[in-house]
Amino acid sequence: MKTQNSPKGESATSTSFMGRVRSNQQKLAAALKSHYDFIVCGSGSSGSVVARRLAENPNVSVLLLEAGGHDDTPSVMDASQWPTNIGTERHWQFQAQQNPALNGRSLPLSMGKVLGGGSSVNAMFGLAATRATGISSHPKQGMGRGATNPC
């Protein structure tokens, strides 16, 4: 299906979809109940799946809560902009406690405060198993640094 691009560079199809999603969210917000059988806190990957699975039963009511805002923002929708979410309202900005094994350093714990949770504000990187990395992907030789790679 061919779509025309909108001024923001989004296809007409994706703009239409986002409009339907926003309309559905407004409809659901207007119909909030005073009682639910299940309340799921956090709309990250896990929370969304749990809420969806619970909602498959037509005899129960499920409320999915999210502390953050919507994910309809360029820094979430464009994966190349993921670092711009760090330190914003879409990021919880948690820090781990200092760790003696890390020379007393405290590492950031990147958790999303937005629809989609950490999946909306984090990125995934891959490292190929090669001789240069010293990481083996051979099942008999195990995974990990220092393992030999038969490549």
Side-chain angles (χ1 to χ4, degrees):
M1 177 175 156
K2 189 173 181 178
T3 60
Q4 295 178 347
N5 287 340
S6 69
K8 293 182 184 177
E10 299 166 347
S11 71
T13 303
S14 69
T15 303
S16 170
F17 173 74
M18 289 188 302
R20 290 193 317 267
V21 168
R22 193 170 289 117
S23 173
N24 186 51
Q25 288 173 342
Q26 290 169 347
K27 180 182 88 173
L28 292 172
L32 283 175
K33 303 174 187 176
S34 62
H35 175 272
Y36 288 88
D37 296 311
F38 296 97
I39 299 175
V40 179
C41 298
S43 69
S45 300
S46 298
S48 295
V49 169
V50 167
R52 168 66 171 90
R53 293 297 305 268
L54 289 168
E56 289 176 358
N57 182 342
N59 299 317
V60 301
S61 58
V62 181
L63 176 64
L64 176 60
L65 296 176
E66 172 56 51
H70 63 82
D71 60 352
D72 185 15
T73 179
S75 64
V76 172
M77 302 301 275
D78 179 359
S80 69
Q81 295 186 34
W82 75 268
T84 63
N85 290 302
I86 298 171
T88 69
E89 70 279 359
R90 290 177 296 285
H91 195 267
W92 281 104
Q93 302 179 42
F94 292 140
Q95 286 284 128
Q97 292 186 355
Q98 292 180 338
N99 187 332
L102 299 172
N103 294 325
R105 289 182 296 150
S106 172
L107 300 179
L109 301 173
S110 188
M111 297 181 187
K113 185 179 177 184
V114 62
L115 285 174
S119 298
S120 292
V121 299
N122 292 327
M124 182 173 72
F125 295 93
L127 181 62
T130 66
R131 283 187 204 270
T133 63
I135 298 173
S136 173
S137 62
H138 192 277
K140 291 185 180 178
Q141 295 175 339
M143 298 289 287
R145 192 133 186 79
T148 58
N149 189 337
C151 296

PDB file of all heavy atoms in Angstrom, residues 107-124:
ATOM      1  N   LEU A 107      26.440   3.074  39.023  1.00  0.00           N
ATOM      2  CA  LEU A 107      25.998   3.060  37.624  1.00  0.00           C
ATOM      3  C   LEU A 107      24.557   3.537  37.487  1.00  0.00           C
ATOM      4  O   LEU A 107      23.729   3.291  38.361  1.00  0.00           O
ATOM      5  CB  LEU A 107      26.118   1.648  37.054  1.00  0.00           C
ATOM      6  CG  LEU A 107      27.516   1.040  37.060  1.00  0.00           C
ATOM      7  CD1 LEU A 107      27.478  -0.368  36.495  1.00  0.00           C
ATOM      8  CD2 LEU A 107      28.484   1.898  36.277  1.00  0.00           C
ATOM      9  N   PRO A 108      24.249   4.202  36.381  1.00  0.00           N
ATOM     10  CA  PRO A 108      22.862   4.603  36.145  1.00  0.00           C
ATOM     11  C   PRO A 108      22.004   3.388  35.803  1.00  0.00           C
ATOM     12  O   PRO A 108      22.480   2.439  35.191  1.00  0.00           O
ATOM     13  CB  PRO A 108      22.960   5.548  34.938  1.00  0.00           C
ATOM     14  CG  PRO A 108      24.215   5.160  34.252  1.00  0.00           C
ATOM     15  CD  PRO A 108      25.141   4.626  35.306  1.00  0.00           C
ATOM     16  N   LEU A 109      20.764   3.406  36.231  1.00  0.00           N
ATOM     17  CA  LEU A 109      19.802   2.350  35.913  1.00  0.00           C
ATOM     18  C   LEU A 109      18.772   2.978  34.975  1.00  0.00           C
ATOM     19  O   LEU A 109      17.896   3.711  35.403  1.00  0.00           O
ATOM     20  CB  LEU A 109      19.130   1.826  37.184  1.00  0.00           C
ATOM     21  CG  LEU A 109      20.076   1.241  38.226  1.00  0.00           C
ATOM     22  CD1 LEU A 109      19.321   0.908  39.502  1.00  0.00           C
ATOM     23  CD2 LEU A 109      20.775   0.016  37.681  1.00  0.00           C
ATOM     24  N   SER A 110      18.908   2.689  33.706  1.00  0.00           N
ATOM     25  CA  SER A 110      18.069   3.336  32.702  1.00  0.00           C
ATOM     26  C   SER A 110      16.700   2.677  32.641  1.00  0.00           C
ATOM     27  O   SER A 110      16.556   1.565  32.152  1.00  0.00           O
ATOM     28  CB  SER A 110      18.755   3.271  31.341  1.00  0.00           C
ATOM     29  OG  SER A 110      18.052   4.039  30.412  1.00  0.00           O
ATOM     30  N   MET A 111      15.697   3.380  33.163  1.00  0.00           N
ATOM     31  CA  MET A 111      14.322   2.875  33.162  1.00  0.00           C
ATOM     32  C   MET A 111      13.397   3.957  32.626  1.00  0.00           C
ATOM     33  O   MET A 111      13.469   5.108  33.040  1.00  0.00           O
ATOM     34  CB  MET A 111      13.908   2.477  34.578  1.00  0.00           C
ATOM     35  CG  MET A 111      14.738   1.358  35.132  1.00  0.00           C
ATOM     36  SD  MET A 111      14.167   0.938  36.780  1.00  0.00           S
ATOM     37  CE  MET A 111      15.406  -0.220  37.260  1.00  0.00           C
ATOM     38  N   GLY A 112      12.532   3.562  31.723  1.00  0.00           N
ATOM     39  CA  GLY A 112      11.659   4.522  31.066  1.00  0.00           C
ATOM     40  C   GLY A 112      10.425   4.870  31.873  1.00  0.00           C
ATOM     41  O   GLY A 112       9.794   4.013  32.469  1.00  0.00           O
ATOM     42  N   LYS A 113      10.097   6.139  31.862  1.00  0.00           N
ATOM     43  CA  LYS A 113       8.875   6.658  32.493  1.00  0.00           C
ATOM     44  C   LYS A 113       8.003   7.206  31.365  1.00  0.00           C
ATOM     45  O   LYS A 113       7.826   8.409  31.202  1.00  0.00           O
ATOM     46  CB  LYS A 113       9.250   7.754  33.497  1.00  0.00           C
ATOM     47  CG  LYS A 113       8.091   8.285  34.307  1.00  0.00           C
ATOM     48  CD  LYS A 113       8.581   9.338  35.284  1.00  0.00           C
ATOM     49  CE  LYS A 113       7.454   9.948  36.068  1.00  0.00           C
ATOM     50  NZ  LYS A 113       7.937  11.028  36.933  1.00  0.00           N
ATOM     51  N   VAL A 114       7.483   6.287  30.563  1.00  0.00           N
ATOM     52  CA  VAL A 114       6.758   6.614  29.341  1.00  0.00           C
ATOM     53  C   VAL A 114       6.025   5.349  28.891  1.00  0.00           C
ATOM     54  O   VAL A 114       6.390   4.247  29.310  1.00  0.00           O
ATOM     55  CB  VAL A 114       7.757   7.107  28.246  1.00  0.00           C
ATOM     56  CG1 VAL A 114       8.749   6.028  27.885  1.00  0.00           C
ATOM     57  CG2 VAL A 114       7.048   7.632  27.021  1.00  0.00           C
ATOM     58  N   LEU A 115       5.014   5.493  28.071  1.00  0.00           N
ATOM     59  CA  LEU A 115       4.378   4.306  27.496  1.00  0.00           C
ATOM     60  C   LEU A 115       5.451   3.463  26.821  1.00  0.00           C
ATOM     61  O   LEU A 115       6.238   3.975  26.037  1.00  0.00           O
ATOM     62  CB  LEU A 115       3.302   4.698  26.478  1.00  0.00           C
ATOM     63  CG  LEU A 115       2.003   5.238  27.041  1.00  0.00           C
ATOM     64  CD1 LEU A 115       1.097   5.715  25.918  1.00  0.00           C
ATOM     65  CD2 LEU A 115       1.300   4.204  27.885  1.00  0.00           C
ATOM     66  N   GLY A 116       5.495   2.194  27.151  1.00  0.00           N
ATOM     67  CA  GLY A 116       6.520   1.318  26.612  1.00  0.00           C
ATOM     68  C   GLY A 116       7.690   1.119  27.559  1.00  0.00           C
ATOM     69  O   GLY A 116       8.527   0.261  27.333  1.00  0.00           O
ATOM     70  N   GLY A 117       7.755   1.923  28.627  1.00  0.00           N
ATOM     71  CA  GLY A 117       8.809   1.774  29.626  1.00  0.00           C
ATOM     72  C   GLY A 117      10.202   1.852  29.039  1.00  0.00           C
ATOM     73  O   GLY A 117      10.484   2.629  28.140  1.00  0.00           O
ATOM     74  N   GLY A 118      11.088   1.017  29.570  1.00  0.00           N
ATOM     75  CA  GLY A 118      12.474   1.015  29.122  1.00  0.00           C
ATOM     76  C   GLY A 118      12.629   0.689  27.653  1.00  0.00           C
ATOM     77  O   GLY A 118      13.583   1.142  27.016  1.00  0.00           O
ATOM     78  N   SER A 119      11.694  -0.060  27.086  1.00  0.00           N
ATOM     79  CA  SER A 119      11.774  -0.374  25.659  1.00  0.00           C
ATOM     80  C   SER A 119      11.627   0.869  24.795  1.00  0.00           C
ATOM     81  O   SER A 119      12.048   0.876  23.643  1.00  0.00           O
ATOM     82  CB  SER A 119      10.682  -1.379  25.274  1.00  0.00           C
ATOM     83  OG  SER A 119      10.862  -2.577  25.979  1.00  0.00           O
ATOM     84  N   SER A 120      11.041   1.916  25.348  1.00  0.00           N
ATOM     85  CA  SER A 120      10.873   3.155  24.591  1.00  0.00           C
ATOM     86  C   SER A 120      12.073   4.086  24.688  1.00  0.00           C
ATOM     87  O   SER A 120      12.245   4.946  23.839  1.00  0.00           O
ATOM     88  CB  SER A 120       9.628   3.908  25.083  1.00  0.00           C
ATOM     89  OG  SER A 120       8.463   3.204  24.744  1.00  0.00           O
ATOM     90  N   VAL A 121      12.891   3.933  25.716  1.00  0.00           N
ATOM     91  CA  VAL A 121      13.990   4.891  25.902  1.00  0.00           C
ATOM     92  C   VAL A 121      15.374   4.256  25.855  1.00  0.00           C
ATOM     93  O   VAL A 121      16.374   4.962  25.926  1.00  0.00           O
ATOM     94  CB  VAL A 121      13.848   5.677  27.226  1.00  0.00           C
ATOM     95  CG1 VAL A 121      12.573   6.479  27.236  1.00  0.00           C
ATOM     96  CG2 VAL A 121      13.922   4.767  28.432  1.00  0.00           C
ATOM     97  N   ASN A 122      15.469   2.952  25.754  1.00  0.00           N
ATOM     98  CA  ASN A 122      16.766   2.287  25.710  1.00  0.00           C
ATOM     99  C   ASN A 122      17.063   1.817  24.300  1.00  0.00           C
ATOM    100  O   ASN A 122      16.213   1.832  23.421  1.00  0.00           O
ATOM    101  CB  ASN A 122      16.792   1.087  26.663  1.00  0.00           C
ATOM    102  CG  ASN A 122      16.728   1.511  28.106  1.00  0.00           C
ATOM    103  OD1 ASN A 122      17.236   2.554  28.476  1.00  0.00           O
ATOM    104  ND2 ASN A 122      16.106   0.688  28.934  1.00  0.00           N
ATOM    105  N   ALA A 123      18.268   1.356  24.095  1.00  0.00           N
ATOM    106  CA  ALA A 123      18.673   0.827  22.798  1.00  0.00           C
ATOM    107  C   ALA A 123      19.309  -0.543  23.017  1.00  0.00           C
ATOM    108  O   ALA A 123      19.704  -0.878  24.120  1.00  0.00           O
ATOM    109  CB  ALA A 123      19.666   1.762  22.131  1.00  0.00           C
ATOM    110  N   MET A 124      19.411  -1.292  21.948  1.00  0.00           N
ATOM    111  CA  MET A 124      20.047  -2.590  22.025  1.00  0.00           C
ATOM    112  C   MET A 124      21.220  -2.595  21.054  1.00  0.00           C
ATOM    113  O   MET A 124      21.098  -2.144  19.919  1.00  0.00           O
ATOM    114  CB  MET A 124      19.074  -3.703  21.643  1.00  0.00           C
ATOM    115  CG  MET A 124      19.677  -5.081  21.749  1.00  0.00           C
ATOM    116  SD  MET A 124      18.489  -6.412  21.490  1.00  0.00           S
ATOM    117  CE  MET A 124      18.196  -6.297  19.752  1.00  0.00           C
TER     118      MET A 124
END
